[in-house]
């Protein structure tokens, strides 16, 4: 086998550097998480019945808050390794280990005795009412209305009556 020509190693390293340059020159999208590449902010829910929110992204940081409602919707605002910075509807939160979170979308009723309609229309029949603070499973959202399920019933409510979904968000 012939020996490489003088300078081949330098040319290869220069070529590798040139090929890598576009990847490092690309700016990271600030609207995407650096770990998951998922949108920031985004909504998730608490997987179990309890989750510690810490001052920083590690077990050595102090616990500032304990979430105690299974299915509670949380907004992810930052990522670091296996940790997600989350906040609840009142802005309380901290860093939570990702294993305590679920991608299942839930919402909190923000309006006292919110009407659940049979269709996404304010003139549609009211099929039930939901109390403020109730945690519901989030279904489809369109035209500023969302379908929710909870307490053995389901129906459509205006997005403005919910926390856990962005205004104008469309879900199938």
């Amino acid at each position: 086998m012939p020996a490489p020509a003088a300078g081949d190693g330098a040319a290869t390293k220069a070529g590798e550097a040139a090929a890598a340059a576009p990847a490092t020159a690309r700016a990271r999208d600030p609207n995407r998480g650096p770990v998951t590449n998922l949108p920031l902010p985004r909504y998730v829910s608490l997987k179990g019945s309890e989750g510690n929110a810490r001052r920083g992204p590690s077990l050595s940081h102090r616990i500032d808050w304990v979430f105690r409602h299974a299915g509670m919707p949380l907004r992810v605002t930052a990522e670091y390794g296996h940790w997600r910075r989350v906040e609840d509807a009142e802005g309380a939160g901290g860093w939570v280990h990702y294993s305590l979170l679920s991608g299942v979308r839930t919402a909190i009723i923000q309006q006292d005795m919110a009407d659940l309609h049979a269709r996404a229309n304010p003139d549609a029949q009211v099929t039930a009412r939901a109390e403020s603070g109730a945690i519901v499973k989030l279904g489809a959202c369109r035209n500023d209305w969302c379908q929710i399920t909870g307490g053995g019933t389901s129906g459509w409510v205006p997005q403005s009556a919910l926390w856990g979904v962005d205004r104008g968000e469309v879900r199938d």
Side-chain angles (χ1 to χ4, degrees), residues 22-162:
T24 57
R26 276 182 272 171
R28 189 182 72 76
D29 183 350
N31 298 317
R32 295 247 170 217
V35 177
T36 63
N37 200 36
L38 293 172
L40 287 179
R42 68 178 177 277
Y43 293 95
V44 296
S45 58
L46 187 63
K47 193 183 285 185
S49 60
E50 189 173 289
N52 294 333
R54 297 180 177 273
R55 172 101 11 130
S58 77
L59 291 175
S60 64
H61 284 88
R62 187 179 104 189
I63 296 170
D64 282 340
W65 193 256
V66 179
F67 296 115
R68 296 191 187 273
H69 297 285
M72 171 180 269
L74 299 166
R75 181 178 16 227
V76 176
T77 59
E79 301 178 344
Y80 183 82
H82 292 311
W83 295 85
R84 307 294 176 259
R85 177 137 181 49
V86 299
E87 58 188 29
D88 67 9
E90 290 148 14
W95 290 91
V96 175
H97 195 269
Y98 81 104
S99 65
L100 300 176
L101 304 174
S102 168
V104 173
R105 292 286 299 272
T106 60
I108 294 179
I109 302 292
Q110 296 266 266
Q111 176 184 329
D112 193 32
M113 299 311 288
D115 291 337
L116 277 68
H117 295 266
R119 293 182 323 281
N121 183 320
D123 298 326
Q125 176 186 358
V126 174
T127 59
R129 289 194 171 82
E131 292 184 41
S132 178
I135 297 173
V136 295
K137 188 171 179 185
L138 190 63
C141 293
R142 61 178 178 264
N143 300 326
D144 293 325
W145 285 78
C146 290
Q147 187 175 33
I148 60 169
T149 304
T153 191
S154 66
W156 290 85
V157 296
Q159 283 181 342
S160 60
L162 301 172

Side-chain angles (χ1 to χ4, degrees), residues 154-172:
S154 66
W156 290 85
V157 296
Q159 283 181 342
S160 60
L162 301 172
W163 187 89
V165 61
D166 289 325
R167 301 298 168 247
E169 182 176 341
V170 175
R171 291 177 38 86
D172 292 323

